[in-house]
Amino acid sequence: MKAKSFIAALLTTTLLASGAFAANLSIVSGDTGNGREFLRKQLDRFEKETGNKVSIVAMPANSSDNFGQYRLWLAAGNTDIDVYRTDVIWAPQLADQFLDLKAAAKDVIDQHIPSIIESQTVDGKLVALPMFTDAPALYYRKDLLEKYKKPVPKTWDEMAATAKEIQDAERTAGNKSMYGYVFQANAYEGLTCNALEWVKSSGGGQIVEADGTISINNPDAAAAIDRAKGWVDTISPKGVLAYTEEEARGIWQTGNSVFMRNWPYAYALGGSSDSAIKGKFDVAPLPVGKEGQNSAATLGGWNLAVSKYSKAPEEAIKLALFLGSPEQQKERAIELASMPTIKALYDDKDIAAAQPLIPNWKPVFESSVPRPSAPTKVKYNEVSNMFWSAVHDTLSGNGTAAENLELLEAKLTELQGGSW
Ligand code: GLC
């Protein structure tokens, strides 16, 4: 061991009187709302149980920004971060930078939903341990739908018509800041999720299919994206082109939107005591684009990965196992409405009582649509970037969906080369 890294290792690892090693660990946190305080509470418990110290490294909430930063840190062999929180789509791209958790997790793997474990397994290596899963909902204002005698919309067109009618009537009644629909249309991973839902539920496929075929350049996909273009600056604020989850939730939770597309975390926050819409909203599956199609919810979720550059890998693995354990997932489900990856927790009475969304959302999760990260492997981020850019251009009025999807197809074909 080189002298410098030996001293660094000594600094990170202190020998306790008991003979056990205690490490100074760090974990990233892009948490929003009360998520960071919640994490701190769990870390405090881990510290007490193990004698380790864990510090939080604050990250942006935007998934794409995290990915860029992680790549830089990992490429530089950064030893300052021990545990990374990874988006469900990243396993194939970051697999080489993380430790294999298979052996350490062998006794708990069977507790998790198998498809999630599979999504985090690359060439037999368990790249990350699931922490929670995610499947979006259409949030709607129960009080407003009742007031205007409207049903919960089943199609995107119905959603837009109801949104417009209620928005206009509320504005006329003096509620000037009311909008019909808020969603995520910033140029980032969240737009890939939203647009995949419009396209898939309209019969337009999944961008790149499971067998690697590039399918996005088709009339159903184009119609779905053009339809969404019609929402910008009519039922949705023009600023939606810069919205991520949190900007959408900001409008929604202050009572200024009839509908919102968002993940389950907004359910817990919308029901909190300081929320203007507490008791006034509910959730439904996302609308359908075309008759004969099913509602499509993009599969999301976050995992715990241990950096291969960690100076205290064993303690870092303990931390990942701790945060992914049934006890911690249960608490996270109750307090933050994070959907567990532990099968048994979907039958847990305490979770059902605190967050009824969770057991109700199991079928939505089970039929959710994966982004094409498995077929495009290490190129997924570029594929997604090209897709969200084509969609963002269309929503911004730079070309029609048909034009932009044709260009996208050419770019994807070039990126693919002979095979993914
Ligand atoms: C949520 C999902 C994640 C997705 C992101 C997009 O955090 O869990 O999978 O990539 O939203 O904004």
Side-chain angles (χ1 to χ4, degrees):
M1 196 187 273
K2 282 196 216 112
K4 219 167 150 195
S5 55
F6 178 69
I7 292 167
L10 265 188
L11 287 176
T12 340
T13 326
T14 358
L15 194 56
L16 284 181
S18 66
F21 282 97
N24 288 322
L25 302 170
S26 65
I27 181 169
V28 295
S29 158
D31 296 290
T32 53
N34 51 349
R36 202 159 292 157
E37 286 155 46
F38 172 83
L39 175 68
R40 188 64 260 170
K41 195 167 70 177
Q42 294 198 321
L43 296 177
D44 289 347
R45 214 174 298 137
F46 175 78
E47 290 185 345
K48 259 212 182 109
E49 280 178 21
T50 64
N52 294 309
K53 288 271 168 257
V54 192
S55 54
I56 293 179
V57 177
M59 298 295 290
N62 180 320
S63 167
S64 306
D65 291 348
N66 274 275
F67 184 72
Q69 183 61 62
Y70 286 10
R71 276 244 268 233
L72 291 176
W73 279 339
L74 290 165
N78 186 332
T79 54
D80 294 340
I81 313 283
D82 299 286
V83 177
Y84 284 88
R85 311 249 304 263
T86 58
D87 201 332
V88 65
I89 47 190
W90 296 342
Q93 290 165 93
L94 300 178
D96 292 346
Q97 312 284 353
F98 295 137
L99 297 180
D100 186 355
L101 301 178
K102 206 169 196 168
K106 68 175 188 323
D107 296 336
V108 296
I109 283 181
D110 289 348
Q111 301 172 352
H112 291 266
I113 296 166
S115 60
I116 302 180
I117 293 288
E118 205 181 300
S119 74
Q120 299 309 303
T121 304
V122 178
D123 297 333
K125 171 174 177 177
L126 184 62
V127 173
L129 198 68
M131 186 179 192
F132 66 92
T133 187
D134 236 353
L138 178 72
Y139 286 75
Y140 62 89
R141 285 282 297 275
K142 267 190 313 197
D143 57 333
L144 293 175
L145 293 191
E146 266 162 36
K147 180 172 168 190
Y148 293 94
K149 301 194 173 26
K150 292 284 169 193
V152 178
K154 292 263 187 307
T155 67
W156 290 112
D157 286 336
E158 205 189 325
M159 184 284 289
T162 302
K164 178 90 174 74
E165 191 180 321
I166 300 182
Q167 170 186 291
D168 290 354
E170 286 291 303
R171 286 187 186 177
T172 309
N175 201 350
K176 296 280 180 239
S177 26
M178 184 57 97
Y179 282 101
Y181 182 52
V182 286
F183 60 106
Q184 297 80 40
N186 196 346
Y188 80 123
E189 188 61 32
L191 179 55
T192 291
C193 297
N194 279 252
L196 174 60
E197 288 153 5
W198 313 328
V199 168
K200 175 73 180 167
S201 72
S202 303
Q206 293 174 225
I207 313 167
V208 175
E209 302 305 306
D211 67 0
T213 311
I214 299 167
S215 64
I216 188 60
N217 184 19
N218 70 76
D220 287 322
I225 299 169
D226 280 332
R227 184 200 298 123
K229 154 98 178 81
W231 304 334
V232 180
D233 211 13
T234 58
I235 56 170
S236 305
K238 199 164 177 209
V240 78
L241 293 170
Y243 281 13
T244 68
E245 285 77 4
E246 280 297 87
E247 288 81 24
R249 186 175 69 82
I251 303 274
W252 162 257
Q253 206 169 305
T254 45
N256 292 322
S257 187
V258 184
F259 297 110
M260 170 177 73
R261 182 259 181 220
N262 218 326
W263 308 93
Y265 85 101
Y267 186 84
L269 293 168
S272 62
S273 51
D274 59 354
S275 161
I277 50 158
K278 183 176 159 67
K280 295 185 179 167
F281 73 94
D282 211 338
V283 289
L286 293 173
V288 168
K290 201 173 152 186
E291 220 177 305
Q293 295 298 322
N294 295 319
S295 164
T298 299
L299 172 66
W302 289 84
N303 307 276
L304 298 146
V306 177
S307 167
K308 74 172 187 191
Y309 309 105
S310 169
K311 295 248 179 59
E314 285 186 10
E315 298 309 306
I317 290 174
K318 267 190 210 158
L319 176 58
L321 286 168
F322 174 85
L323 291 173
S325 69
E327 296 74 27
Q328 311 311 314
Q329 286 208 12
K330 174 169 174 172
E331 187 186 34
R332 175 171 275 278
I334 289 176
E335 293 195 25
L336 305 183
S338 299
M339 292 179 71
T341 67
I342 305 277
K343 287 174 276 189
L345 293 180
Y346 285 88
D347 301 320
D348 186 286
K349 292 201 177 60
D350 302 331
I351 294 179
Q355 306 289 359
L357 164 78
I358 291 184
N360 290 343
W361 230 238
K362 195 176 171 209
V364 175
F365 157 75
E366 283 169 344
S367 59
S368 61
V369 184
R371 281 162 273 173
S373 127
T376 61
K377 303 189 188 103
V378 295
K379 295 182 183 166
Y380 173 74
N381 194 54
E382 270 178 278
V383 170
S384 182
N385 197 317
M386 287 174 178
F387 177 60
W388 82 53
S389 301
V391 176
H392 197 266
D393 279 347
T394 312
L395 300 183
S396 314
N398 298 327
T400 64
E403 287 160 2
N404 288 326
L405 292 185
E406 195 180 330
L407 281 171
L408 173 65
E409 182 185 48
K411 284 188 187 161
L412 291 176
T413 308
E414 197 186 327
L415 177 68
Q416 179 186 28
S419 67
W420 288 112

